[in-house]
Amino acid sequence: MTDTITTLIIAGHTDRASAVADYELLRNTDLDFFRLIDAAVVEHDAEGNVSVEKDMHHPVAKGLLIGGVVAVLSPVALVAGVVGGGIVGGLVSHFHKGLSRKDVAELGELLDRSTFAVIAIAAGADAPEVARRLSATDVVVKPMAGSEAAYRGLLEQYDSVGGS
C-alpha cells in the first residue's frame, strides 16, 4: 500500500440492476494504478432515506466509509445500514476537509436525483479512466484529500474497536 491520493466516484442510476453492474465493474477492475478502497450501491427513496444495498465489506462494517460520504452529501438523510457511530462522525469531518462546498453540493444533487447510486473511494492514477467505463451517464469524479493509507487506516481502526 502506498500513500496514493484518493478519488471519490459517484454514479447515479435509475435502476438497481445497472447500479449493481457498475459496482461489479469497479470491484472486478484489475489495473496497476487502480485500487478500490470501498464501494457500495445505495438507494435513495422518495422520503430522502438512504440505505446501503450492497457493500464490499463484511456485514458488520457495512457502509462504514460510504456512510461517511453519504452523511456529508446528505446530512439530513436517514442513513440505514450504516454502522460505526462515533467513527462515522469522525469520517464526516474527514470528508468535509477533502471536499469543497461546491463539490459537496454537486455530489449531493447527483444523489438527490438518483434512485440508486454507486459510491466508491479508489486510489491510483487510473481512477478517472475507470469511472469513464461505467454505464451511468450521471457520473461525478472528485479528488479527495487523504491518502489510500489514511482510508485503509480508518477501516482498520473500526476493526480494532470491535467492528469485525
Short mmCIF file of all heavy atoms in Angstrom, two decimals, residues 7-66:
data_model
loop_
_atom_site.label_atom_id
_atom_site.label_comp_id
_atom_site.label_asym_id
_atom_site.label_seq_id
_atom_site.Cartn_x
_atom_site.Cartn_y
_atom_site.Cartn_z
N THR A 7 -9.63 9.10 -4.86
CA THR A 7 -10.66 9.69 -5.71
C THR A 7 -12.03 9.19 -5.25
O THR A 7 -12.19 8.01 -4.94
CB THR A 7 -10.44 9.27 -7.18
OG1 THR A 7 -9.13 9.68 -7.58
CG2 THR A 7 -11.47 9.88 -8.10
N LEU A 8 -12.99 10.10 -5.22
CA LEU A 8 -14.38 9.75 -4.93
C LEU A 8 -15.12 9.67 -6.26
O LEU A 8 -15.05 10.59 -7.08
CB LEU A 8 -15.01 10.81 -4.03
CG LEU A 8 -16.49 10.64 -3.70
CD1 LEU A 8 -16.72 9.36 -2.89
CD2 LEU A 8 -16.99 11.85 -2.91
N ILE A 9 -15.82 8.56 -6.48
CA ILE A 9 -16.60 8.34 -7.69
C ILE A 9 -18.05 8.13 -7.27
O ILE A 9 -18.32 7.28 -6.42
CB ILE A 9 -16.11 7.10 -8.47
CG1 ILE A 9 -14.64 7.25 -8.86
CG2 ILE A 9 -16.99 6.85 -9.70
CD1 ILE A 9 -14.00 5.95 -9.35
N ILE A 10 -18.97 8.90 -7.85
CA ILE A 10 -20.40 8.67 -7.61
C ILE A 10 -21.08 8.59 -8.97
O ILE A 10 -20.93 9.48 -9.80
CB ILE A 10 -21.03 9.78 -6.76
CG1 ILE A 10 -20.33 9.85 -5.40
CG2 ILE A 10 -22.53 9.52 -6.58
CD1 ILE A 10 -20.93 10.84 -4.44
N ALA A 11 -21.80 7.49 -9.19
CA ALA A 11 -22.51 7.26 -10.45
C ALA A 11 -23.99 7.07 -10.14
O ALA A 11 -24.37 6.14 -9.42
CB ALA A 11 -21.95 6.02 -11.14
N GLY A 12 -24.83 7.97 -10.67
CA GLY A 12 -26.26 7.91 -10.43
C GLY A 12 -26.96 6.97 -11.41
O GLY A 12 -26.62 6.92 -12.59
N HIS A 13 -27.93 6.24 -10.90
CA HIS A 13 -28.69 5.27 -11.70
C HIS A 13 -30.17 5.37 -11.38
O HIS A 13 -30.56 5.76 -10.28
CB HIS A 13 -28.24 3.84 -11.37
CG HIS A 13 -26.83 3.54 -11.78
ND1 HIS A 13 -26.52 3.01 -12.99
CD2 HIS A 13 -25.65 3.71 -11.13
CE1 HIS A 13 -25.20 2.86 -13.09
NE2 HIS A 13 -24.65 3.28 -11.95
N THR A 14 -30.99 4.98 -12.35
CA THR A 14 -32.45 4.93 -12.13
C THR A 14 -32.91 3.55 -11.72
O THR A 14 -34.03 3.39 -11.24
CB THR A 14 -33.21 5.35 -13.40
OG1 THR A 14 -32.81 4.51 -14.47
CG2 THR A 14 -32.93 6.82 -13.74
N ASP A 15 -32.05 2.54 -11.88
CA ASP A 15 -32.46 1.17 -11.52
C ASP A 15 -31.33 0.44 -10.81
O ASP A 15 -30.15 0.74 -10.99
CB ASP A 15 -32.91 0.40 -12.76
CG ASP A 15 -31.78 0.20 -13.74
OD1 ASP A 15 -31.46 1.14 -14.50
OD2 ASP A 15 -31.18 -0.90 -13.73
N ARG A 16 -31.73 -0.53 -10.00
CA ARG A 16 -30.78 -1.30 -9.19
C ARG A 16 -29.85 -2.14 -10.06
O ARG A 16 -28.65 -2.23 -9.79
CB ARG A 16 -31.54 -2.20 -8.21
CG ARG A 16 -30.65 -2.90 -7.21
CD ARG A 16 -31.47 -3.73 -6.21
NE ARG A 16 -30.73 -4.02 -5.02
CZ ARG A 16 -29.83 -4.98 -4.92
NH1 ARG A 16 -29.54 -5.73 -5.96
NH2 ARG A 16 -29.18 -5.18 -3.78
N ALA A 17 -30.37 -2.76 -11.11
CA ALA A 17 -29.56 -3.66 -11.93
C ALA A 17 -28.36 -2.95 -12.56
O ALA A 17 -27.24 -3.47 -12.54
CB ALA A 17 -30.42 -4.30 -13.02
N SER A 18 -28.56 -1.76 -13.10
CA SER A 18 -27.43 -1.05 -13.72
C SER A 18 -26.45 -0.56 -12.65
O SER A 18 -25.23 -0.55 -12.88
CB SER A 18 -27.91 0.11 -14.60
OG SER A 18 -28.53 1.11 -13.84
N ALA A 19 -26.96 -0.19 -11.48
CA ALA A 19 -26.07 0.22 -10.39
C ALA A 19 -25.20 -0.96 -9.93
O ALA A 19 -23.99 -0.82 -9.75
CB ALA A 19 -26.88 0.77 -9.21
N VAL A 20 -25.81 -2.12 -9.78
CA VAL A 20 -25.06 -3.31 -9.37
C VAL A 20 -24.03 -3.69 -10.44
O VAL A 20 -22.90 -4.07 -10.12
CB VAL A 20 -26.00 -4.49 -9.04
CG1 VAL A 20 -25.23 -5.79 -8.86
CG2 VAL A 20 -26.82 -4.17 -7.79
N ALA A 21 -24.39 -3.55 -11.71
CA ALA A 21 -23.45 -3.87 -12.79
C ALA A 21 -22.22 -2.94 -12.73
O ALA A 21 -21.08 -3.41 -12.87
CB ALA A 21 -24.13 -3.76 -14.15
N ASP A 22 -22.43 -1.65 -12.49
CA ASP A 22 -21.30 -0.73 -12.36
C ASP A 22 -20.48 -1.02 -11.11
O ASP A 22 -19.25 -0.95 -11.13
CB ASP A 22 -21.77 0.73 -12.35
CG ASP A 22 -21.98 1.28 -13.75
OD1 ASP A 22 -21.65 0.60 -14.75
OD2 ASP A 22 -22.47 2.43 -13.86
N TYR A 23 -21.14 -1.37 -10.02
CA TYR A 23 -20.45 -1.75 -8.78
C TYR A 23 -19.54 -2.95 -9.05
O TYR A 23 -18.37 -2.96 -8.66
CB TYR A 23 -21.51 -2.07 -7.72
CG TYR A 23 -21.00 -2.78 -6.49
CD1 TYR A 23 -20.46 -2.07 -5.43
CD2 TYR A 23 -21.10 -4.17 -6.38
CE1 TYR A 23 -20.01 -2.73 -4.30
CE2 TYR A 23 -20.66 -4.82 -5.25
CZ TYR A 23 -20.11 -4.10 -4.21
OH TYR A 23 -19.68 -4.76 -3.09
N GLU A 24 -20.07 -3.95 -9.74
CA GLU A 24 -19.28 -5.16 -10.05
C GLU A 24 -18.12 -4.82 -10.99
O GLU A 24 -17.03 -5.37 -10.85
CB GLU A 24 -20.16 -6.26 -10.64
CG GLU A 24 -21.17 -6.82 -9.66
CD GLU A 24 -20.56 -7.50 -8.43
OE1 GLU A 24 -19.39 -7.94 -8.49
OE2 GLU A 24 -21.26 -7.57 -7.40
N LEU A 25 -18.34 -3.91 -11.94
CA LEU A 25 -17.25 -3.48 -12.82
C LEU A 25 -16.12 -2.89 -11.99
O LEU A 25 -14.95 -3.22 -12.19
CB LEU A 25 -17.76 -2.47 -13.83
CG LEU A 25 -16.74 -2.00 -14.87
CD1 LEU A 25 -17.42 -1.72 -16.19
CD2 LEU A 25 -15.98 -0.77 -14.42
N LEU A 26 -16.45 -2.02 -11.04
CA LEU A 26 -15.43 -1.43 -10.17
C LEU A 26 -14.71 -2.51 -9.35
O LEU A 26 -13.49 -2.51 -9.25
CB LEU A 26 -16.04 -0.39 -9.24
CG LEU A 26 -16.51 0.91 -9.88
CD1 LEU A 26 -17.30 1.74 -8.87
CD2 LEU A 26 -15.33 1.69 -10.43
N ARG A 27 -15.48 -3.41 -8.78
CA ARG A 27 -14.88 -4.46 -7.94
C ARG A 27 -13.97 -5.38 -8.73
O ARG A 27 -13.00 -5.91 -8.19
CB ARG A 27 -15.99 -5.31 -7.30
CG ARG A 27 -16.73 -4.55 -6.26
CD ARG A 27 -17.02 -5.21 -4.98
NE ARG A 27 -16.07 -6.15 -4.48
CZ ARG A 27 -16.39 -7.16 -3.70
NH1 ARG A 27 -17.63 -7.35 -3.35
NH2 ARG A 27 -15.48 -7.98 -3.25
N ASN A 28 -14.27 -5.59 -10.00
CA ASN A 28 -13.51 -6.55 -10.80
C ASN A 28 -12.44 -5.91 -11.69
O ASN A 28 -11.78 -6.61 -12.44
CB ASN A 28 -14.47 -7.38 -11.65
CG ASN A 28 -15.36 -8.25 -10.79
OD1 ASN A 28 -14.90 -8.86 -9.84
ND2 ASN A 28 -16.64 -8.25 -11.08
N THR A 29 -12.27 -4.60 -11.61
CA THR A 29 -11.24 -3.93 -12.40
C THR A 29 -9.87 -4.25 -11.82
O THR A 29 -9.63 -4.10 -10.63
CB THR A 29 -11.47 -2.41 -12.41
OG1 THR A 29 -12.71 -2.15 -13.08
CG2 THR A 29 -10.35 -1.69 -13.15
N ASP A 30 -8.99 -4.73 -12.69
CA ASP A 30 -7.64 -5.12 -12.27
C ASP A 30 -6.63 -4.35 -13.10
O ASP A 30 -6.27 -4.76 -14.19
CB ASP A 30 -7.47 -6.64 -12.45
CG ASP A 30 -6.13 -7.14 -11.94
OD1 ASP A 30 -5.50 -6.44 -11.11
OD2 ASP A 30 -5.71 -8.23 -12.37
N LEU A 31 -6.23 -3.20 -12.56
CA LEU A 31 -5.23 -2.36 -13.23
C LEU A 31 -4.13 -2.03 -12.22
O LEU A 31 -4.37 -1.96 -11.02
CB LEU A 31 -5.85 -1.05 -13.72
CG LEU A 31 -6.91 -1.15 -14.81
CD1 LEU A 31 -7.56 0.20 -15.04
CD2 LEU A 31 -6.28 -1.66 -16.09
N ASP A 32 -2.92 -1.81 -12.73
CA ASP A 32 -1.80 -1.48 -11.86
C ASP A 32 -2.04 -0.20 -11.06
O ASP A 32 -1.60 -0.09 -9.92
CB ASP A 32 -0.51 -1.34 -12.67
CG ASP A 32 0.00 -2.67 -13.19
OD1 ASP A 32 -0.40 -3.71 -12.63
OD2 ASP A 32 0.78 -2.66 -14.16
N PHE A 33 -2.72 0.77 -11.65
CA PHE A 33 -2.88 2.06 -11.00
C PHE A 33 -4.33 2.35 -10.62
O PHE A 33 -4.81 3.48 -10.72
CB PHE A 33 -2.31 3.18 -11.89
CG PHE A 33 -0.84 2.99 -12.15
CD1 PHE A 33 -0.40 2.50 -13.36
CD2 PHE A 33 0.08 3.26 -11.15
CE1 PHE A 33 0.95 2.29 -13.59
CE2 PHE A 33 1.43 3.05 -11.37
CZ PHE A 33 1.87 2.57 -12.59
N PHE A 34 -5.04 1.31 -10.16
CA PHE A 34 -6.40 1.45 -9.66
C PHE A 34 -6.61 0.43 -8.56
O PHE A 34 -6.48 -0.77 -8.78
CB PHE A 34 -7.44 1.23 -10.77
CG PHE A 34 -8.86 1.30 -10.26
CD1 PHE A 34 -9.47 2.53 -10.07
CD2 PHE A 34 -9.57 0.16 -9.96
CE1 PHE A 34 -10.77 2.61 -9.60
CE2 PHE A 34 -10.86 0.22 -9.49
CZ PHE A 34 -11.47 1.45 -9.31
N ARG A 35 -6.91 0.93 -7.37
CA ARG A 35 -7.25 0.06 -6.26
C ARG A 35 -8.53 0.58 -5.61
O ARG A 35 -8.61 1.75 -5.23
CB ARG A 35 -6.10 0.01 -5.24
CG ARG A 35 -4.92 -0.78 -5.74
CD ARG A 35 -3.70 -0.64 -4.84
NE ARG A 35 -3.31 0.75 -4.55
CZ ARG A 35 -2.74 1.58 -5.43
NH1 ARG A 35 -2.50 1.19 -6.66
NH2 ARG A 35 -2.40 2.80 -5.07
N LEU A 36 -9.50 -0.29 -5.48
CA LEU A 36 -10.76 0.08 -4.86
C LEU A 36 -10.62 -0.05 -3.35
O LEU A 36 -10.27 -1.11 -2.84
CB LEU A 36 -11.87 -0.84 -5.38
CG LEU A 36 -13.29 -0.42 -5.16
CD1 LEU A 36 -13.57 0.95 -5.78
CD2 LEU A 36 -14.23 -1.45 -5.75
N ILE A 37 -10.86 1.04 -2.63
CA ILE A 37 -10.77 1.03 -1.17
C ILE A 37 -12.11 0.65 -0.58
O ILE A 37 -12.20 -0.16 0.33
CB ILE A 37 -10.31 2.41 -0.65
CG1 ILE A 37 -8.91 2.72 -1.18
CG2 ILE A 37 -10.35 2.44 0.88
CD1 ILE A 37 -8.47 4.15 -0.95
N ASP A 38 -13.18 1.24 -1.08
CA ASP A 38 -14.53 0.93 -0.60
C ASP A 38 -15.50 1.29 -1.71
O ASP A 38 -15.25 2.19 -2.50
CB ASP A 38 -14.85 1.72 0.66
CG ASP A 38 -16.01 1.13 1.46
OD1 ASP A 38 -16.50 0.04 1.11
OD2 ASP A 38 -16.42 1.76 2.45
N ALA A 39 -16.60 0.56 -1.76
CA ALA A 39 -17.64 0.83 -2.75
C ALA A 39 -18.95 0.27 -2.23
O ALA A 39 -18.97 -0.70 -1.47
CB ALA A 39 -17.30 0.20 -4.10
N ALA A 40 -20.03 0.89 -2.67
CA ALA A 40 -21.36 0.42 -2.29
C ALA A 40 -22.38 0.90 -3.30
O ALA A 40 -22.17 1.89 -4.00
CB ALA A 40 -21.74 0.94 -0.90
N VAL A 41 -23.48 0.17 -3.34
CA VAL A 41 -24.68 0.61 -4.05
C VAL A 41 -25.61 1.13 -2.96
O VAL A 41 -25.87 0.43 -1.98
CB VAL A 41 -25.35 -0.54 -4.82
CG1 VAL A 41 -26.68 -0.09 -5.41
CG2 VAL A 41 -24.43 -1.08 -5.89
N VAL A 42 -26.07 2.37 -3.12
CA VAL A 42 -27.00 2.93 -2.15
C VAL A 42 -28.31 3.25 -2.86
O VAL A 42 -28.34 3.56 -4.05
CB VAL A 42 -26.44 4.19 -1.45
CG1 VAL A 42 -25.18 3.87 -0.67
CG2 VAL A 42 -26.19 5.32 -2.43
N GLU A 43 -29.40 3.14 -2.10
CA GLU A 43 -30.72 3.51 -2.62
C GLU A 43 -31.18 4.77 -1.91
O GLU A 43 -31.04 4.90 -0.69
CB GLU A 43 -31.73 2.38 -2.39
CG GLU A 43 -33.10 2.72 -2.93
CD GLU A 43 -34.11 1.60 -2.77
OE1 GLU A 43 -33.81 0.60 -2.10
OE2 GLU A 43 -35.21 1.74 -3.33
N HIS A 44 -31.74 5.69 -2.68
CA HIS A 44 -32.26 6.96 -2.16
C HIS A 44 -33.75 6.96 -2.46
O HIS A 44 -34.16 7.06 -3.61
CB HIS A 44 -31.53 8.10 -2.87
CG HIS A 44 -31.93 9.45 -2.42
ND1 HIS A 44 -32.60 10.34 -3.23
CD2 HIS A 44 -31.75 10.08 -1.24
CE1 HIS A 44 -32.82 11.45 -2.56
NE2 HIS A 44 -32.31 11.32 -1.36
N ASP A 45 -34.59 6.84 -1.40
CA ASP A 45 -36.03 6.74 -1.65
C ASP A 45 -36.69 8.12 -1.67
O ASP A 45 -36.05 9.15 -1.42
CB ASP A 45 -36.70 5.79 -0.65
CG ASP A 45 -36.74 6.30 0.77
OD1 ASP A 45 -36.61 7.52 1.00
OD2 ASP A 45 -36.92 5.47 1.69
N ALA A 46 -37.99 8.14 -1.97
CA ALA A 46 -38.73 9.39 -2.14
C ALA A 46 -38.79 10.22 -0.86
O ALA A 46 -38.94 11.43 -0.91
CB ALA A 46 -40.15 9.09 -2.62
N GLU A 47 -38.65 9.58 0.30
CA GLU A 47 -38.68 10.30 1.58
C GLU A 47 -37.30 10.85 1.96
O GLU A 47 -37.14 11.48 3.00
CB GLU A 47 -39.18 9.38 2.71
CG GLU A 47 -40.65 9.03 2.61
CD GLU A 47 -40.91 7.91 1.61
OE1 GLU A 47 -40.11 6.97 1.54
OE2 GLU A 47 -41.91 8.02 0.87
N GLY A 48 -36.29 10.59 1.14
CA GLY A 48 -34.95 11.08 1.43
C GLY A 48 -34.09 10.12 2.22
O GLY A 48 -32.96 10.44 2.57
N ASN A 49 -34.62 8.93 2.51
CA ASN A 49 -33.84 7.93 3.23
C ASN A 49 -32.81 7.31 2.30
O ASN A 49 -33.09 7.06 1.13
CB ASN A 49 -34.74 6.83 3.79
CG ASN A 49 -35.77 7.39 4.76
OD1 ASN A 49 -35.46 8.24 5.58
ND2 ASN A 49 -36.99 6.92 4.65
N VAL A 50 -31.63 7.04 2.82
CA VAL A 50 -30.58 6.41 2.05
C VAL A 50 -30.21 5.11 2.74
O VAL A 50 -29.98 5.08 3.95
CB VAL A 50 -29.33 7.32 1.96
CG1 VAL A 50 -28.21 6.63 1.19
CG2 VAL A 50 -29.69 8.65 1.32
N SER A 51 -30.19 4.02 1.99
CA SER A 51 -29.80 2.73 2.56
C SER A 51 -28.70 2.11 1.71
O SER A 51 -28.68 2.27 0.49
CB SER A 51 -31.00 1.79 2.66
OG SER A 51 -31.57 1.57 1.39
N VAL A 52 -27.79 1.43 2.37
CA VAL A 52 -26.71 0.72 1.69
C VAL A 52 -27.27 -0.62 1.23
O VAL A 52 -27.68 -1.45 2.05
CB VAL A 52 -25.49 0.54 2.61
CG1 VAL A 52 -24.40 -0.26 1.90
CG2 VAL A 52 -24.96 1.89 3.06
N GLU A 53 -27.32 -0.82 -0.07
CA GLU A 53 -27.89 -2.04 -0.64
C GLU A 53 -26.84 -3.13 -0.84
O GLU A 53 -27.14 -4.30 -0.73
CB GLU A 53 -28.54 -1.73 -2.00
CG GLU A 53 -29.72 -0.79 -1.90
CD GLU A 53 -30.86 -1.40 -1.12
OE1 GLU A 53 -31.27 -2.53 -1.43
OE2 GLU A 53 -31.34 -0.74 -0.19
N LYS A 54 -25.64 -2.73 -1.21
CA LYS A 54 -24.59 -3.70 -1.49
C LYS A 54 -23.27 -3.02 -1.14
O LYS A 54 -23.02 -1.89 -1.52
CB LYS A 54 -24.62 -4.08 -2.98
CG LYS A 54 -23.76 -5.23 -3.37
CD LYS A 54 -24.12 -5.65 -4.80
CE LYS A 54 -23.35 -6.85 -5.25
NZ LYS A 54 -23.75 -8.08 -4.63
N ASP A 55 -22.43 -3.72 -0.35
CA ASP A 55 -21.19 -3.13 0.12
C ASP A 55 -20.09 -4.17 0.03
O ASP A 55 -20.35 -5.36 0.16
CB ASP A 55 -21.38 -2.68 1.58
CG ASP A 55 -20.20 -1.90 2.11
OD1 ASP A 55 -19.26 -2.54 2.59
OD2 ASP A 55 -20.23 -0.66 2.05
N MET A 56 -18.86 -3.73 -0.17
CA MET A 56 -17.77 -4.69 -0.36
C MET A 56 -17.19 -5.23 0.94
O MET A 56 -16.33 -6.09 0.91
CB MET A 56 -16.68 -4.11 -1.26
CG MET A 56 -15.99 -2.88 -0.80
SD MET A 56 -14.81 -2.26 -2.04
CE MET A 56 -13.38 -3.26 -1.71
N HIS A 57 -17.67 -4.78 2.09
CA HIS A 57 -17.14 -5.26 3.37
C HIS A 57 -18.10 -6.23 4.03
O HIS A 57 -19.26 -6.31 3.68
CB HIS A 57 -16.82 -4.08 4.28
CG HIS A 57 -15.76 -3.20 3.70
ND1 HIS A 57 -14.45 -3.58 3.64
CD2 HIS A 57 -15.83 -2.00 3.09
CE1 HIS A 57 -13.74 -2.64 3.05
NE2 HIS A 57 -14.56 -1.67 2.69
N HIS A 58 -17.60 -6.93 5.02
CA HIS A 58 -18.45 -7.87 5.75
C HIS A 58 -19.62 -7.12 6.38
O HIS A 58 -19.56 -5.91 6.58
CB HIS A 58 -17.64 -8.64 6.79
CG HIS A 58 -16.85 -7.78 7.71
ND1 HIS A 58 -17.39 -7.16 8.80
CD2 HIS A 58 -15.54 -7.41 7.68
CE1 HIS A 58 -16.46 -6.46 9.42
NE2 HIS A 58 -15.33 -6.59 8.75
N PRO A 59 -20.72 -7.84 6.71
CA PRO A 59 -21.94 -7.17 7.16
C PRO A 59 -21.76 -6.23 8.35
O PRO A 59 -22.44 -5.22 8.45
CB PRO A 59 -22.87 -8.33 7.54
CG PRO A 59 -22.38 -9.48 6.73
CD PRO A 59 -20.89 -9.29 6.60
N VAL A 60 -20.85 -6.52 9.27
CA VAL A 60 -20.70 -5.66 10.44
C VAL A 60 -20.14 -4.30 10.06
O VAL A 60 -20.53 -3.28 10.60
CB VAL A 60 -19.82 -6.36 11.50
CG1 VAL A 60 -19.57 -5.46 12.68
CG2 VAL A 60 -20.49 -7.65 11.95
N ALA A 61 -19.22 -4.25 9.09
CA ALA A 61 -18.63 -2.98 8.69
C ALA A 61 -19.38 -2.33 7.54
O ALA A 61 -18.93 -1.35 6.97
CB ALA A 61 -17.17 -3.19 8.27
N LYS A 62 -20.55 -2.86 7.23
CA LYS A 62 -21.32 -2.39 6.08
C LYS A 62 -21.49 -0.88 6.11
O LYS A 62 -21.97 -0.30 7.07
CB LYS A 62 -22.70 -3.05 6.09
CG LYS A 62 -23.53 -2.73 4.87
CD LYS A 62 -24.82 -3.53 4.90
CE LYS A 62 -25.58 -3.30 3.63
NZ LYS A 62 -26.81 -4.08 3.60
N GLY A 63 -21.04 -0.26 5.06
CA GLY A 63 -21.29 1.16 4.89
C GLY A 63 -20.40 2.10 5.66
O GLY A 63 -20.68 3.28 5.72
N LEU A 64 -19.32 1.63 6.26
CA LEU A 64 -18.52 2.49 7.11
C LEU A 64 -18.01 3.73 6.38
O LEU A 64 -18.38 4.85 6.71
CB LEU A 64 -17.36 1.71 7.73
CG LEU A 64 -16.47 2.52 8.67
CD1 LEU A 64 -17.27 2.97 9.88
CD2 LEU A 64 -15.27 1.71 9.09
N LEU A 65 -17.16 3.57 5.38
CA LEU A 65 -16.63 4.72 4.65
C LEU A 65 -17.72 5.38 3.81
O LEU A 65 -17.83 6.60 3.76
CB LEU A 65 -15.45 4.33 3.77
CG LEU A 65 -14.17 3.92 4.50
CD1 LEU A 65 -13.08 3.55 3.50
CD2 LEU A 65 -13.68 5.00 5.44
N ILE A 66 -18.52 4.55 3.14
CA ILE A 66 -19.58 5.08 2.29
C ILE A 66 -20.59 5.86 3.13
O ILE A 66 -21.10 6.90 2.73
CB ILE A 66 -20.26 3.96 1.48
CG1 ILE A 66 -19.23 3.24 0.59
CG2 ILE A 66 -21.44 4.49 0.69
CD1 ILE A 66 -18.44 4.13 -0.34
#
